[in-house]
Amino acid sequence: MTIYLSIGLFASLAGFALGVAHARRKERSLRQSQMATWQQSFEKRYYNILNHASIGMANVALDNRFIEVNHAFCELLGYAKEDLEKLTLQQITHPDDLAVNLFNVERLLNEEIGSYQLENRYLCKDGNVVWVLQTGSVLRDNQNRALNFIVQVQDITEHKHAEQALREDEYILRRMLDNVPARISYWNSELRNEFANIGYEEWFGFTPEQMHGRHMREIIGEKRYAMNEHHLQGVLRGEPQLFERAVKNMKGIDRYTQISYNPDISGGKVKGFFVLVTDITQRRQAEMALRASERRFRKVLESAPIGMALLSLDNHFTQVNRAFCRISGYGWEELLNLTVEDITHPDDTRSYQSIAQHLKTGGIDTYEIEKRYIQKDGQIVWVLLTASLLRDDEGAPQRIIKQVQDIIHRKKLERELERQAHTDYLTGLANRRHFLELAEHEIAHARRYGGELSVAMLDLDHFKNVNDTYGHQVGDVVLKELAKICQRTLREVDVIGRLGGEEFAILFPETGGNEAYDIIERLREAIATTAVPLEHAQTLHFTASIGIASFVRADANIDILLNRADKALYEAKISGRNRIVEAAA
C-alpha cells in the first residue's frame, strides 16, 4: 500500500514538474514573441517619428558618416536621402565651423559632456549656406561604449538674418543719434545711465561707453546735479520736464541749452527717462551752425558717388550733385531749369507720375523703381531711383530727395543673359528650347484663329564626313555659314533654330505648304551654291536635305508637326539628298 502511494506520488510530482517545465517554455516563447513584436513596433514608431519630425534628425556613425537621415534633414540641405547618406557630417559643415564641431564631438566621446548645442552653418547641395541650431549626443550600449551620434538640427537662417539686420539697424541708429546735433541719453529710475550719444563727450568728457552704468551725479557734477534735482524728482514722478541751463563745455566755452526730461512709463511705473539736451546759445550762432550744417550737407551731396537731387513738389530740380549731372548728361544750371518729366523716358512717365503722386499724398514714405532717363545727347540710360519725401515741422510735404544709380551695365548684362538663354552659342540662332517655345505659340495661334503654318526640318548632307576629313573647327565654320545663308534667304517673320548638331528647324508663320516650299527651294539652292574657303586656296561645298510639313488640325502640338517634317526629311535623305520632300497632310 505504501509502495503504491509512493509510486503514485512520484508520478504526480513528475507530471507536475513536466507541466511546469512546459508552462515555462510556453511562457518564455510568449515573452520572446512579445519582445519581437514590441521591437518591431518600437522600430516602426521610431522610423515614423524620424521621418515625420518637423526638425532635421540623423544617426551619424563615429567616423561621421550618415547612417540614417530623415526627410526634414534632406529638405533643409536640398539632397535626396540616398545622396546625403553617402556623405559625412564634416562634408556638409561650413569649414569655418568644423573645428568647434570636432571639439564638441571629442568632448562627447570623452564623456566630458552628455550633449551639446551650438549654432552652426551647413553647405546645401546648391551651394547656399543655411544656419542651424545643432544638438548632438552619443548613443551608448549597456557597457557604456559609444555606438553612434544622434544629431538634431533646426533651421535658424531667418533668425540669423534677423539678428544681422538688427545689428545693422542698431549700428545705423547709433550713427544717426551720434550725428544728431543734440545730446541724447537714457537714465533708469536709479539715475544710472543706460545710453548716451557721443555728444556728451564734448561737454562732460565721458564717452558713451564710460557713461554707461554711472550715476548722473558723476557725469554732470555735484553743482549741476543739485540744480537739476527738482526736475529729476519730477520726471521720476512721471511728469515731463522742460527747462534751460547755462553750461560750460570741456573747452571752457559757455553754452546755453534747453533740456527736456521725458518719463518712460510702463505698467503705471516710471522705468526711467529720456534726456534731450539742445544747444540754443544765440540765434546768430544757431544760424551759423545751420549754415555750417548746410555746407556739410552740400559737401556730402557733392561727394556722394551716386546721383542725388532735391526736388520741389512740382518736380523741378532745386539741387543736384555732380554724379547726377554725369548720369543725366546735363549741367547743374541746365537741370535747375528742368523737371523730372523733361528727362524721363515717355514710356516710363505715366507709371512714375502715379507712384510719385502716391508719395506726395502720404500713401507711402519712400519708393524704389527702375526707370529710364533720356540724356542730353539723346542716349537712354537705365537708373535705379530711390525717392523719399521730406516734411516740415508740421508734417506737411516740403521737398523730395532722390538717389539715382546708373544700372545700364546691369541691364546690358541681364539682356545678354536672356539672349544667351535663348540663343545657340555657335550659330547665334534660336536654341532648341527657345525655338520650341516660339513654335508652340505659333501653333496655338494657328489653331485658335485658323491661320496657316508650316515647318521644315533641315539636315546637312554627309556632315560627319566634313568633321572627319577637315576637323570639327571646319565643321563649326560650315554650321555658322549655314546660319548666315538662312538669315539672308529667309523672311524676317520666319524663325530658324538649331535643334542640335547639324539639325535645324524652320518655322513659317501664316504660310501654306506651297509658299513654304518655294522659300525652302531658294534656301536649298543658296546652300548648294555656297563655297566655304579653306586653307591652301581650297573650297568646301555642302548641301542639305529638307522635309516640310504644313499644320493640320490633327497636329495636337509642335512635336507632332515636327515629327511629320522629320519623316519627310528622312525620305529626302534616302532618295538621294540635296532635295526637298513634303509630308503628306
Side-chain angles (χ1 to χ4, degrees), residues 201-264:
E201 185 175 4
E202 179 185 351
W203 282 10
F204 301 109
F206 292 96
T207 66
E209 293 76 17
Q210 291 170 337
M211 286 182 61
H212 188 75
R214 294 197 179 197
H215 196 277
M216 184 178 285
R217 182 184 283 106
E218 297 181 64
I219 304 301
I220 66 175
E222 287 289 349
K223 183 178 179 180
R224 292 195 188 101
Y225 182 79
M227 293 174 62
N228 295 350
E229 190 169 8
H230 169 73
H231 298 289
L232 292 172
Q233 292 172 354
V235 73
L236 291 177
R237 290 193 300 268
E239 304 166 359
Q241 305 290 309
L242 181 65
F243 58 97
E244 296 179 0
R245 284 283 182 268
V247 298
K248 191 183 294 289
N249 65 17
M250 294 298 294
K251 297 179 181 179
I253 300 175
D254 291 324
R255 316 295 292 180
Y256 205 72
T257 63
Q258 184 182 70
I259 304 173
S260 68
Y261 293 165
N262 288 294
D264 178 18

Side-chain angles (χ1 to χ4, degrees), residues 486-487 489-495 507-511 515 519 522:
C486 292
Q487 291 168 336
T489 307
L490 299 175
R491 305 170 302 178
E492 287 187 3
V493 297
D494 300 330
V495 180
L507 192 67
F508 301 95
E510 302 291 341
T511 305
E515 186 180 356
I519 298 171
R522 290 197 302 272

Side-chain angles (χ1 to χ4, degrees), residues 41-310:
S41 175
F42 173 79
E43 290 177 354
K44 183 177 180 181
R45 289 196 301 272
Y46 166 75
Y47 283 106
N48 189 48
I49 292 171
L50 181 71
N51 290 320
H52 291 85
S54 59
I55 63 172
M57 300 179 65
N59 281 339
V60 182
L62 297 182
D63 60 0
N64 277 321
R65 288 180 300 102
F66 285 109
I67 301 172
E68 178 77 21
V69 294
N70 71 346
H71 175 73
F73 206 111
C74 298
E75 189 175 58
L76 174 65
L77 299 180
Y79 280 96
K81 178 180 173 65
E82 57 271 15
D83 293 333
L84 186 55
E85 290 178 351
K86 295 176 184 178
L87 303 178
T88 66
L89 188 60
Q90 291 181 5
Q91 288 176 298
I92 66 165
T93 299
H94 192 283
D96 294 344
D97 299 337
L98 195 54
V100 69
N101 264 279
L102 295 176
F103 172 73
N104 280 287
V105 166
E106 185 176 353
R107 295 178 69 204
L108 277 177
L109 293 175
N110 293 336
E111 297 187 73
E112 297 175 21
I113 54 175
S115 64
Y116 70 87
Q117 188 175 78
L118 54 81
E119 293 181 353
N120 187 38
R121 285 167 291 181
Y122 282 167
L123 304 176
C124 297
K125 185 178 181 180
D126 60 8
N128 287 328
V129 175
V130 295
W131 277 94
V132 299
L133 180 64
Q134 176 179 309
T135 304
S137 58
V138 173
L139 184 64
R140 299 178 180 273
D141 62 14
N142 55 6
Q143 297 182 12
N144 204 36
R145 291 175 300 190
L147 298 176
N148 56 278
F149 300 111
I150 304 298
V151 176
Q152 299 178 354
V153 295
Q154 299 181 55
D155 187 353
I156 59 169
T157 305
E158 290 187 6
H159 172 72
K160 296 297 289 186
H161 290 171
E163 283 184 350
Q164 178 62 27
L166 181 60
R167 285 193 293 270
E168 292 173 358
D169 289 345
E170 288 176 349
Y171 172 78
I172 293 171
L173 181 60
R174 163 63 74 172
R175 291 297 302 272
M176 289 174 59
L177 293 176
D178 282 344
N179 286 279
V180 170
R183 281 70 191 164
I184 300 173
S185 59
Y186 181 86
W187 305 78
N188 63 26
S189 59
E190 297 178 354
L191 299 181
R192 295 192 177 276
N193 180 262
E194 293 190 4
F195 172 83
N197 72 348
I198 202 169
Y200 277 87
E201 185 175 4
E202 179 185 351
W203 282 10
F204 301 109
F206 292 96
T207 66
E209 293 76 17
Q210 291 170 337
M211 286 182 61
H212 188 75
R214 294 197 179 197
H215 196 277
M216 184 178 285
R217 182 184 283 106
E218 297 181 64
I219 304 301
I220 66 175
E222 287 289 349
K223 183 178 179 180
R224 292 195 188 101
Y225 182 79
M227 293 174 62
N228 295 350
E229 190 169 8
H230 169 73
H231 298 289
L232 292 172
Q233 292 172 354
V235 73
L236 291 177
R237 290 193 300 268
E239 304 166 359
Q241 305 290 309
L242 181 65
F243 58 97
E244 296 179 0
R245 284 283 182 268
V247 298
K248 191 183 294 289
N249 65 17
M250 294 298 294
K251 297 179 181 179
I253 300 175
D254 291 324
R255 316 295 292 180
Y256 205 72
T257 63
Q258 184 182 70
I259 304 173
S260 68
Y261 293 165
N262 288 294
D264 178 18
I265 301 174
S266 177
K269 294 183 179 180
V270 178
K271 295 172 56 180
F273 58 96
F274 300 92
V275 176
L276 175 65
V277 182
T278 308
D279 189 346
I280 55 170
T281 306
Q282 293 178 3
R283 182 174 296 278
R284 183 178 178 186
Q285 289 179 329
E287 291 173 351
M288 291 176 60
L290 179 60
R291 287 196 293 270
S293 177
E294 289 177 348
R295 286 195 298 271
R296 288 194 297 271
F297 174 78
R298 285 196 295 271
K299 185 176 180 180
V300 170
L301 188 72
E302 284 301 314
S303 302
I306 62 174
M308 298 184 68
L310 288 175

Side-chain angles (χ1 to χ4, degrees), residues 456-507:
M457 293 288 291
L458 182 151
D459 192 89
L460 291 180
D461 297 328
H462 304 296
F463 185 72
K464 183 177 184 301
N465 293 339
V466 173
N467 283 331
D468 293 344
T469 304
Y470 302 101
H472 288 278
Q473 187 173 2
V474 172
D476 289 348
V477 172
V478 170
L479 293 175
K480 289 190 282 190
E481 185 63 32
L482 173 61
K484 293 177 183 178
I485 296 170
C486 292
Q487 291 168 336
R488 290 196 301 266
T489 307
L490 299 175
R491 305 170 302 178
E492 287 187 3
V493 297
D494 300 330
V495 180
I496 179 168
R498 183 185 179 198
L499 302 188
E502 67 274 22
E503 187 177 55
F504 296 78
I506 306 170
L507 192 67

Side-chain angles (χ1 to χ4, degrees), residues 384-484:
L384 176 64
L385 169 67
T386 303
S388 301
L389 187 65
L390 300 179
R391 300 178 181 273
D392 60 18
D393 295 338
E394 286 71 38
Q398 191 176 43
R399 286 190 294 180
I400 300 171
I401 184 169
K402 294 190 174 183
Q403 297 178 346
V404 175
Q405 300 179 58
D406 185 347
I407 59 170
I408 191 167
H409 295 298
R410 195 191 82 190
K411 283 292 184 180
K412 287 180 179 179
L413 178 60
E414 289 175 355
R415 288 195 294 270
E416 177 60 19
L417 291 174
E418 183 177 3
R419 186 195 67 79
Q420 291 179 9
H422 293 162
T423 306
D424 175 62
Y425 75 96
L426 179 64
T427 63
L429 302 175
N431 60 20
R432 181 186 187 92
R433 179 180 178 181
H434 189 47
F435 176 85
L436 292 177
E437 289 174 350
L438 296 173
E440 284 290 359
H441 174 76
E442 289 297 334
I443 202 170
H445 183 274
R447 181 177 295 280
R448 181 175 182 181
Y449 297 103
E452 295 181 304
L453 176 67
S454 298
V455 297
M457 293 288 291
L458 182 151
D459 192 89
L460 291 180
D461 297 328
H462 304 296
F463 185 72
K464 183 177 184 301
N465 293 339
V466 173
N467 283 331
D468 293 344
T469 304
Y470 302 101
H472 288 278
Q473 187 173 2
V474 172
D476 289 348
V477 172
V478 170
L479 293 175
K480 289 190 282 190
E481 185 63 32
L482 173 61
K484 293 177 183 178

